[in-house]
Each structure stands twice: as C-alpha cells, then as structure tokens.
Amino acid sequence: MTQARRKQIALAMIAALACLLAAIAFLSAVNTRTSTWSYSRLIDQALQGRVKTFEIDGEVGIATDRDGRQYAVQLPANPSVLASTLASDGVEVAFGDSQAIAALQRVLPYLLVLPVMGLLIFFVFRQVRGQGNQPLMFVRSPAKLVVATPEVTFVHVAGADEAKQELAEIVEFLKDPARFAELGARIPKGVLLAGPPGTGKTLLSKAVAGEAGVPFFSASGSEFVELFVGVGAGRVRDLFVQAKKSSPCIVFVDEIDAVGRQRRIGFGGAHDEREQTLNQLLVEMDGFDTNTHVIVIAATNRPDVLDPALLRPGRFDRHVRLDLPEVRGRREILDVHARNKPLEAAVDLDVLARQTPGFSGADLANLINEAAILAARANRKVIGMEELEEAIARVVAGPEKKSRRISEREKEVIAYHEVGHALVMKALPLCDPVHKVSIISRGMALGWTLSLPEEDRYLVSKEELKQQIAGIMGGRAAEEIVFGDVTSGAENDIQRATQMARRMVTRWGMGERVGIVLLGHGDGRDVSGSPACSDETAAHIDREVAAIVEQAYQLASSVLGQRRQTLDSVTERLLEVETLRAEELQALVSEAEGPASERPAAG
Ligand code: ADP
Ligand code: ZN
C-alpha cells in the first residue's frame, strides 16, 4: 500500500468517526425533548401557571415550562380549542412552522449515518478487490476505451509480415464497410492471434485500428474473471454496448484463454464465472448483425487449451500466428526501437540480432531501453556496443549483483562450475557457442555461462540434445572432479537437464523403450494434470530420463577429465577478471591445449 493510500484511508476513517459522533450527539439532543406530557397534564400545568409557551406544530405541541424544559404533547384533532384555553391561562401560544425541521430532526441522524456506512462498505470492497486502485465498478466498463484511434500503425510493427498481410484485409473492411456489404461479403467477426508473450499481439491489434482509423477497445480475459459470479458476463455485455456505439471499431481481448478454456478442464469456483463470461462473449458475437462492424481480436499464448466453441465458424475463425522473430525480424524490430535513439557508429544491429535468438519483440524493445538507461547512467551521450551487450545479459539473467558478499572459497567453486559448463560446451561440437562466462552474480544465479545458437533452430537432433544436456551438467561435473564433492549450486542445472531429457522421452519419441508416441503434455501428464499413461510406462519414462541425464553427466566428466589443465588455467584467469568473453576464452583454451584443439565448426 502506498503512503498516499494510507493517508486517504486514515482521513476517511476520521471523517467517518466524526459523522458518527455528530449523529450520536444529535440523537441525544432530540431525546432530551422527548419527555412527554399527557393532554390533561398540560391543562393542569397551564392552570397552575407553570407553562410559559406552547408551540403547536402539526400533531405535536411543545410546551416549555418556566424552567425552560420542554415537553411534547399529543394534540387533539382540533387544536384551536386548546389554543384558546391555554391563551386564557396566560400561555404564549405559537403556531410553529417547525414541522419541516422536526421531520428533518427525525431523519437527520439516519442521513448522517448513511454516508458513514457507505464509506465503510466502499473501503471494504476496495480492499477485497486487491490493489485498490480500481474504482468501485462492478459492471461498468472494464474496457479501457481509447477514444482516439491509436497512433500505432503497421510501420511500428516490425518483422511480422505474414500476420500483417492477413490482417490487411480487416483494415480494408474497417475503412470502408459499405463496399464489402454491397457485395454481400461475409466479414470475419473474430480473429485469434496466437503466439508467445511479447511477440506483439497487442501492438499488432492496435496497429490494425490505427491503420483503419477506428477506435480501439481493450479488455483482458483475466479482468473478466474476478470476484463475483456474473460480473464477467455483465462486463462483456457492457463492453459490447460501448463498442457497437462506436462501430466500426476493434475490440481487443487479451488473454482470452482466461475465459475461453475448454469447459471440462475447469475446477473450483472460477469455473462457473468463466463459463458465463464465455457464453456472454459468444452470444454477443453471434448477435452481430450485418450493420455491426465490430471486429473482435483475441490474443492468447495457449491456443491449444481453447474451447472449440470459440473457434467455430462465425466466431474466432481467423487464426493468425505470431512467432518469436527470426534473425531478420529481430533486426527489423531492433531498427524500429533504435530509430530515435543515438547509437555509436560502431554499433552493429546485425550482430545484435544474431546474438539474440529466442528474444521476443518485447525483449528486444526492453534490451534497447536497458542499454539507453545504462548509457545515461554512465553519463554517455550515445549508446555503445558495451551497453547493448550488458543489456542482453540483463534481459537473459537479470542485473549484476556486485554487492553480493561471496567468500573466496565459494567464488572458487563457482568459477570452476562455470568454466566446467564452458569447456564442455566448447568441446562438444553440437553445443551452442559460448558467448560469455562470468562469476558476477545476476538475478538468482551466482555465476553464469551464456551460450547462444549461431542461427535460429527449428529442429534439434537427439545427439544435439544429448550434448546440450552434457553442457548443462558440466558445472556439477567440474565441481566433483576438482573438489571431490558437489554443492547445491547445480539445482537449476539439474532441473533444466531433467526437463530436457523428459521432453526427449515423452514428446519427441527419443527414448529407447517408450517408443514414438506423444505422452500427454510432454511431461507424461495431460492438460488436467492426470497421468496420460499407465504407471508402468511412467516408471519406464522416469528410468529413461534418469539414464539420459546420467549419460550426459558421464560425457561431461570425461570431457573435463581430459582437460584438467585447461580447467585450472581458465578458472584461474576467470577468478582474476570475473568475466570472460568468447575470444578471451578461446585464446586461453588454445594456449592451454594448443591450437589443434580448436572447436570444429558447428554443424
Ligand atoms: P503481446 O501482446 O504479444 O504480449 P505486446 O504487443 O504487448 O506483446 O508487445 C510488447 C512490446 O514489445 C510492444 O509494445 C513493442 O514495443 C514490442 N514489440 C513486440 N513485438 C514487436 C514487433 N514485431 N515490432 C516492434 N515492436 C515489437
Ligand atoms: Zn550451472
């Protein structure tokens, strides 16, 4: 909770308390007055000359005695007789117009208490709703309406040429719906954008609206499925009411899988809510008439889990895939984001594109931004290659943590571990080339070895995978060879190695005994988490996975065993300089082993 929020809540609490106190004070003031006299008592007191004034006000009269105390008296049907009687007894009789005031006095306490209650309820709900930064709106507008057409156009989306082509038709339609309607053309209502996070799904959808010059509504599937059942459906309805008013327009639904999962795989309370929301979405889309020019673009990174009902004709029947960019696409994305940033002349974006396989568009945007921040912090006027390379490492592994206190002994273990990775990867021809080795901790990692493929890969062979797993096990193997003992530092390595091995067996049919069948979602389990195979097969899988990792470990050990000298000398150097780049590493290895040992060109 922020400072400002705390202040707000404190203020509201004080206000609430003040209101409450005022209400109590008022009520007690009213109560002093409610002592009553009967009619005969009034006559009696007036006769004795004890009554000073009598105020007639509607059905109630208020007598004030000589001591200033007030008494309420229930009046008879015709108070004028009473009035003249009292007047003859010397009482000042007045006909008050305080009826309204009296009525107000009666309701005022409630009026005061109501806002207090309201405020309390308001805050309770805000708390319940989590961050408390959203207004208290259950049904109204979840969509952030971009009233103006987005500034973004296709120019800002680099690389995704096929996707742009597919969406160009939608742009045409939105620009001039009438032309298509005249020909009776059926225009898609829904487009599904599928692709990993950060590949520009949101960006591309905005660009479609920008190109066509139409408004852009955006909502997220996870926003729909919130606290209360029925809210999501209400929000969908509301969103489409707004959208239809602004037709033609784009409605963008991010994370559609949050509402559109296959219905049988749900569990828990969110299930109902999701189903209602999904149904409402389908109802809305089915209900578009020929004059509704609203196109719904939904984004997901899990198209495989979507409910088939969502993908039926007339709904999200256009599917556009966005993939992680290839080297050319990465180059173009880097261009887009470097466009208005001062780069040093020596910066080669081609090299950068080659060094960043597996990076999404968002990663690349982030990379350039990080580099700009680094340059600014170093008081530089331009961004250099050095900052860009540091930024790559940051995006991959998080920022350096130079402040972390690590003992000399631990440092040595870490250095051997990392050099172990690096040497095994360099020795095995099918491993990715090593870019950097470092013992400066980053993120969760104490040390790291950065290896990146030279080119984008679409297929990996069994042999390649085996060697890569050996590279991952190289760290632990080095620890054992040098110290005769292993540390907990290899946890992440073991996890990665095991995952890869498991995938080899269950997904890619690379096991010896399990055979060539897909076993669930790659981990021997199906989407709902239940085993997709018999216990017997599961046991086989476990054994095969263990065998693959063990073999890889043996391979790494033998590679390092043959290079004991190199292991020592490279580690010594790494401890001095803390980070070794590819060229320095190669020089050290050649020096220790002679140039003959140079890594054969990767196949
Ligand atoms: P997604 O919706 O797929 O998760 P976004 O559209 O939110 O990804 O992308 C996040 C950011 O990454 C964008 O705002 C943009 O800066 C950058 N980006 C992603 N893909 C591209 C691309 N193809 N061209 C240019 N920038 C991109
Ligand atoms: Zn490691």
Side-chain angles (χ1 to χ4, degrees):
M1 204 182 295
T2 62
Q3 196 73 13
R5 283 252 331 131
R6 272 207 209 106
K7 237 183 192 165
Q8 262 181 14
I9 290 188
L11 270 175
M13 287 300 178
I14 290 171
L17 246 155
C19 284
L20 213 82
L21 285 177
I24 290 170
F26 193 85
L27 274 173
S28 51
V30 169
N31 277 338
T32 54
R33 208 181 246 187
T34 51
S35 40
T36 50
W37 275 347
S38 63
Y39 187 70
S40 51
R41 181 81 189 272
L42 171 68
I43 303 294
D44 187 42
Q45 295 286 320
L47 255 179
Q48 292 176 32
R50 294 240 183 88
V51 179
K52 190 161 172 264
T53 61
F54 189 75
E55 194 179 329
I56 293 175
D57 183 16
E59 297 149 35
V60 199
I62 290 166
T64 310
D65 68 8
R66 300 253 167 233
D67 303 328
R69 279 189 294 260
Q70 293 189 318
Y71 302 90
V73 183
Q74 192 66 43
L75 293 179
N78 187 355
S80 54
V81 181
L82 173 69
S84 54
T85 317
L86 288 175
S88 62
D89 290 335
V91 178
E92 287 173 38
V93 179
F95 288 86
D97 55 356
S98 61
Q99 196 174 6
I101 294 173
L104 194 66
Q105 280 170 349
R106 251 175 278 136
V107 295
L108 202 59
Y110 302 104
L111 284 184
L112 286 173
V113 170
L114 265 178
V116 176
M117 302 282 285
L119 265 176
L120 283 179
I121 291 174
F122 181 73
F123 278 108
V124 166
F125 273 120
R126 270 170 77 122
Q127 283 327 49
V128 170
R129 280 167 59 86
Q131 314 76 17
N133 51 6
Q134 294 147 301
L136 186 77
M137 288 194 293
F138 292 132
V139 179
R140 297 253 94 218
S141 147
K144 287 154 233 121
L145 168 60
V146 181
V147 180
T149 305
E151 303 267 300
V152 184
T153 60
F154 279 166
V155 179
H156 301 95
V157 187
D161 291 337
E162 283 123 24
K164 278 195 262 185
Q165 245 166 41
E166 297 219 32
L167 292 169
E169 180 189 331
I170 307 249
V171 173
E172 290 280 299
F173 166 71
L174 286 171
K175 271 187 185 160
D176 187 6
R179 180 155 61 93
F180 287 77
E182 273 167 22
L183 293 170
R186 195 179 67 84
I187 293 304
K189 295 173 184 172
V191 179
L192 184 71
L193 288 184
T199 43
K201 297 182 290 294
T202 314
L203 186 71
L204 192 59
S205 310
K206 269 193 193 150
V208 169
E211 283 282 325
V214 301
F216 178 79
F217 294 81
S218 109
S220 163
S222 58
E223 279 171 21
F224 287 131
V225 190
E226 260 180 32
L227 199 53
F228 304 104
V229 174
V231 171
R235 285 185 164 182
V236 170
R237 211 174 305 127
D238 203 65
L239 170 60
F240 280 93
V241 167
Q242 286 189 46
K244 279 182 200 158
K245 274 187 212 148
S246 315
S247 160
C249 67
I250 294 278
V251 171
F252 176 69
V253 184
D254 205 357
E255 299 176 75
I256 186 78
D257 43 295
V259 289
R261 264 166 197 271
Q262 290 177 36
R263 296 180 215 206
R264 58 197 163 74
I265 321 173
F267 27 76
H271 187 37
D272 243 10
E273 170 63 357
R274 220 173 48 208
E275 194 151 308
Q276 286 191 20
T277 309
L278 174 59
N279 284 340
Q280 187 62 40
L281 186 66
L282 297 180
V283 165
E284 293 289 348
M285 288 183 69
D286 290 346
F288 287 171
D289 54 31
T290 43
N291 292 321
T292 315
H293 307 307
V294 176
I295 290 178
V296 188
I297 303 184
T300 180
N301 50 10
R302 295 293 311 273
D304 52 323
V305 302
L306 291 181
D307 195 312
L310 211 55
L311 307 177
R312 244 179 254 146
R315 293 168 177 174
F316 293 99
D317 49 4
R318 291 287 169 104
H319 299 180
V320 177
R321 235 205 110 75
L322 281 172
D323 276 310
L324 290 175
E326 294 167 26
V327 65
R328 198 173 53 84
R330 290 199 296 274
R331 169 67 217 248
E332 287 171 19
I333 295 173
L334 285 170
D335 266 337
V336 165
H337 289 278
R339 201 171 282 158
N340 42 25
K341 297 204 173 61
L343 295 186
E344 215 171 60
V347 169
D348 187 344
L349 292 182
D350 277 321
V351 172
L352 219 53
R354 254 181 279 126
Q355 284 184 5
T356 46
F359 275 45
S360 68
D363 290 335
L364 293 169
N366 192 6
L367 162 69
I368 300 264
N369 190 46
E370 285 276 346
I373 291 172
L374 286 171
R377 274 171 45 188
N379 275 326
R380 301 194 44 179
K381 292 272 171 289
V382 287
I383 304 169
M385 207 60 188
E386 200 183 313
E387 281 94 12
L388 287 162
E389 293 208 333
E390 164 65 16
I392 293 183
R394 279 183 173 224
V395 173
V396 172
E400 289 186 349
K401 288 186 186 155
K402 289 207 168 135
S403 59
R404 198 178 257 175
R405 295 289 313 157
I406 293 172
S407 71
E408 287 305 311
R409 160 81 184 173
E410 276 175 335
K411 229 176 176 175
E412 204 182 336
V413 175
I414 295 167
Y416 269 108
H417 179 107
E418 296 308 329
V419 174
H421 283 306
L423 290 189
V424 174
M425 288 178 191
K426 280 182 79 63
L428 299 176
L430 298 180
C431 282
D432 297 330
V434 178
H435 267 268
K436 256 187 195 180
V437 191
S438 173
I439 52 169
I440 298 172
S441 52
R442 255 177 209 287
M444 295 294 290
L446 293 169
W448 44 276
T449 302
L450 186 65
S451 68
L452 295 166
E454 260 154 11
E455 256 312 311
D456 299 273
R457 292 265 181 71
Y458 303 99
L459 292 171
V460 269
S461 70
K462 185 169 171 182
E463 197 47 42
E464 254 171 80
L465 287 164
K466 281 184 172 175
Q467 297 194 1
Q468 281 174 14
I469 297 176
I472 295 172
M473 296 312 289
R476 189 183 163 100
E479 285 182 40
E480 182 158 37
I481 288 174
V482 176
F483 303 99
D485 192 7
V486 289
T487 65
S488 58
E491 180 181 341
N492 180 261
D493 294 340
I494 294 173
Q495 191 186 345
R496 271 174 58 211
T498 314
Q499 264 172 10
M500 274 171 92
R502 192 164 273 278
R503 236 176 271 164
M504 285 171 69
V505 176
T506 59
R507 260 193 199 192
W508 300 323
M510 293 176 180
E512 306 291 326
R513 252 170 313 182
V514 179
I516 316 174
V517 283
L518 173 71
L519 296 157
H521 260 220
D523 53 359
R525 296 179 179 282
D526 67 19
V527 267
S528 63
S530 44
C533 55
S534 65
D535 287 351
E536 200 188 335
T537 312
H540 273 315
I541 293 174
D542 288 343
R543 246 172 280 143
E544 296 232 7
V545 169
I548 290 176
V549 177
E550 179 59 30
Q551 274 171 21
Y553 186 73
Q554 295 304 340
L555 178 57
S557 293
S558 82
V559 166
L560 291 177
Q562 292 160 18
R563 290 170 175 75
R564 193 50 226 270
Q565 291 295 319
T566 321
L567 185 58
D568 285 338
S569 60
V570 175
T571 304
E572 199 180 315
R573 180 76 183 144
L574 181 61
L575 280 166
E576 280 165 31
V577 297
E578 300 198 328
T579 302
L580 286 173
R581 300 160 56 96
E583 310 85 69
E584 298 167 275
L585 183 64
Q586 182 56 49
L588 286 169
V589 171
S590 307
E591 194 183 310
E593 298 177 1
S597 71
E598 244 178 62
R599 175 197 163 100

